[in-house]
Amino acid sequence: MNPAPNVSDIPVLTIDGPSGSGKGTVSARVAAALDWHLLDSGALYRAAGYAAGVAGLDLSDAEAVARCARAMRVRFRAGSDGAAGRVMVNGHDATDALRTETAAGAASAIAALPEVRAALVDLQLAFRRRPGLVADGRDMGTVIFPDAAFKVFLTASAAERAKRRYKQLKAKGLGITLAGLQREIEVRDRRDATRAVAPLKPADDALVLDTTGIGVEEVVAKILAVVRP
Ligand code: DC
């Protein structure tokens, strides 16, 4: 799937940052407020890890995982009545499996492989459709959409991010401890920030927002003010 030739006219807002920075919630709210499309690129890495797992692949076999990622069919089904949407991977409903910390770990591992990152580029570019796109991830502003008109990088202290993730996962009834989660987040952050390809870092032209102690509504308002001043 190649984007339309005049695709550069379609505005993009990139929202990058580490896990627990509030990216997911904030991106969904901003996309809804603007009535723009939403790309949850983390879900694509999770889906690729899931598909590779289902196929019984060794996650360190870059070529095999990349081939699997390129062949993968992902569909995001909108939720109704405020319910969260479903994610279909190769025809299976993978929504619950993709939310687990196991899926996050697999995603982080394969995301460090350049072959896998390359395999997912076209799929991500295809989300750029009219009237606009909010792209949520780690390298949206630096690698995938370097020409984006609007770039935001969200951060928050590690302790605050662990607390937020803990609340989310607890609400979903997944058994985990706060201390364990904070350790996992720190390990994953370190890997995401130090990998050779597309490491997690703000684009030079990104607005960096520290969301520690700031509510979602306030962050959404700050971002909307940048897009439509
Ligand atoms: O945002 P998330 O927790 O769903 O992302 C899962 C993993 O995928 C995360 O460890 C980093 C990786 N990822 C990435 O490398 N690049 C992206 N654009 C999005 C996610």
Side-chain angles (χ1 to χ4, degrees):
M1 250 196 298
N2 281 323
N6 55 349
V7 81
S8 57
D9 300 344
I10 303 173
V12 176
L13 161 65
T14 60
I15 303 185
D16 289 306
S19 59
S21 58
K23 266 181 320 143
T25 312
V26 166
S27 299
R29 299 266 187 105
V30 170
L34 294 169
D35 211 7
W36 284 9
H37 297 281
L38 176 66
L39 163 61
D40 174 0
S41 59
L44 297 183
Y45 283 94
R46 287 172 186 252
Y50 169 85
V54 169
L57 302 180
D58 170 356
L59 294 188
S60 62
D61 184 343
E63 288 300 338
V65 178
R67 221 175 301 122
C68 177
R70 220 173 278 115
M72 164 178 85
R73 283 169 295 117
V74 187
R75 257 187 336 122
F76 293 92
R77 276 212 208 136
S80 54
D81 296 335
R86 314 295 297 175
V87 189
M88 309 295 294
V89 181
N90 294 333
H92 298 286
D93 187 337
T95 317
D96 296 332
L98 296 190
R99 281 194 192 122
T100 62
E101 286 305 293
T102 310
S108 174
I110 64 159
L113 306 171
E115 294 86 345
V116 174
R117 304 199 72 84
L120 292 176
V121 169
D122 284 351
L123 184 54
Q124 295 174 84
L125 294 178
F127 277 77
R128 188 171 192 171
R129 277 179 272 132
R130 287 185 205 290
L133 175 68
V134 177
D136 158 357
R138 304 290 198 287
D139 62 341
M140 297 297 97
T142 49
V143 176
I144 305 295
F145 300 107
D147 67 328
F150 313 102
K151 298 183 186 180
V152 172
F153 190 89
L154 294 185
T155 118
S157 70
E160 168 117 358
R161 292 189 288 121
K163 247 188 273 164
R164 288 179 188 167
R165 286 290 286 167
Y166 183 70
K167 256 203 234 161
Q168 279 176 354
L169 295 171
K170 215 46 191 175
K172 287 173 189 147
L174 301 170
I176 34 153
T177 65
L178 179 59
L181 192 55
Q182 182 159 345
R183 263 197 310 277
E184 274 176 32
I185 283 180
E186 281 167 356
V187 169
R188 191 141 52 95
D189 276 0
R190 210 168 306 124
R191 183 161 49 188
D192 292 341
T194 57
R195 68 182 173 221
V197 274
L200 174 67
K201 62 161 197 227
D204 292 339
D205 50 349
L207 166 71
V208 179
L209 285 178
D210 187 336
T211 69
T212 309
I214 301 182
V216 170
E217 295 311 328
E218 198 179 324
V219 177
V220 169
K222 276 184 203 275
I223 295 175
L224 287 176
V226 173
V227 179
R228 25 171 220 212

